[in-house]
């Protein structure tokens, strides 16, 4: 009978320790430090060097909908890739372009008079992907 009574407090202590584990895990903040010292529960992924030249997500105030913002992002990718091919440069040209240039280039890529769907974003992305592939191929030579 004493064995059963002795195990009840031990179970209570074990339950208390287990209940506090989620608090301990949540206090660790994720980091993108690629040093390998990131906690095991971190889902953050360190950026590759190639990502430094990747066109970022457009600001929310660029356009009213995500569809339009994504289209302008594709336009900016196209403009950058075209300039890289024209100038035959393999350096990152991202800093040489602005979102205003993507907005200004809209007439060139416009396929509709509908202000909510002025272009086909999927076609723009495919064109951007193809041009960026040409840049990668040219720079690999």
């Amino acid at each position: 009978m004493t064995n059963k009574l002795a195990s009840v407090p031990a179970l209570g202590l074990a339950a208390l320790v287990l209940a506090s584990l989620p608090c301990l895990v949540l206090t660790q903040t994720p980091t993108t430090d690629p040093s390998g010292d990131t906690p095991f529960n971190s889902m953050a992924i360190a950026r590759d060097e190639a990502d430094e030249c990747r066109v970022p997500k457009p600001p929310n105030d660029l356009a009213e909908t995500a569809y339009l913002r994504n289209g302008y992002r594709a336009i900016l990718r196209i403009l950058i890739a075209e300039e890289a091919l024209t100038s035959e440069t393999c350096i990152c040209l991202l800093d040489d372009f602005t979102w205003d240039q993507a907005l200004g280039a809209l007439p060139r890529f416009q396929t509709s008079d509908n202000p909510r769907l002025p272009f086909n974003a999927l076609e723009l992305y495919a064109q951007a992907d193809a041009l960026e592939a040409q840049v990668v191929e040219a720079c690999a030579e």
Side-chain angles (χ1 to χ4, degrees), residues 4-101:
K4 288 184 180 181
L5 291 178
S7 64
V8 171
L11 288 175
L13 180 61
L16 182 62
V17 168
L18 289 174
S20 66
L21 281 179
C23 295
L24 293 173
V25 170
L26 292 176
T27 60
Q28 297 177 353
T29 53
T31 177
T32 58
D33 178 21
S35 67
D37 294 334
T38 55
F40 73 96
N41 64 336
S42 172
M43 292 187 65
I45 299 172
R47 286 190 154 243
D48 291 337
E49 288 179 28
D51 284 348
E52 292 175 11
C53 195
R54 185 173 167 218
V55 175
K57 286 176 54 175
N60 285 336
D61 61 351
L62 183 69
E64 146 183 23
T65 65
Y67 181 86
L68 293 172
R69 290 190 298 272
N70 288 333
Y72 288 125
R73 181 178 187 215
I75 290 172
L76 193 60
R77 289 175 54 207
I78 291 168
L79 296 176
I80 292 170
E82 287 176 341
E83 179 60 29
L85 290 170
T86 302
S87 64
E88 297 180 353
T89 184
C90 293
I91 61 170
C92 179
L93 299 174
L94 181 59
D95 293 336
D96 297 346
F97 288 85
T98 65
W99 291 112
D100 289 336
Q101 288 172 291

Side-chain angles (χ1 to χ4, degrees), residues 118-141:
F119 42 67
N120 184 331
L122 292 176
E123 287 179 8
L124 291 174
Y125 264 82
Q127 185 178 352
D129 289 342
L131 286 169
E132 288 174 345
Q134 289 178 21
V135 171
V136 169
E137 184 180 322
C139 290
E141 295 175 352

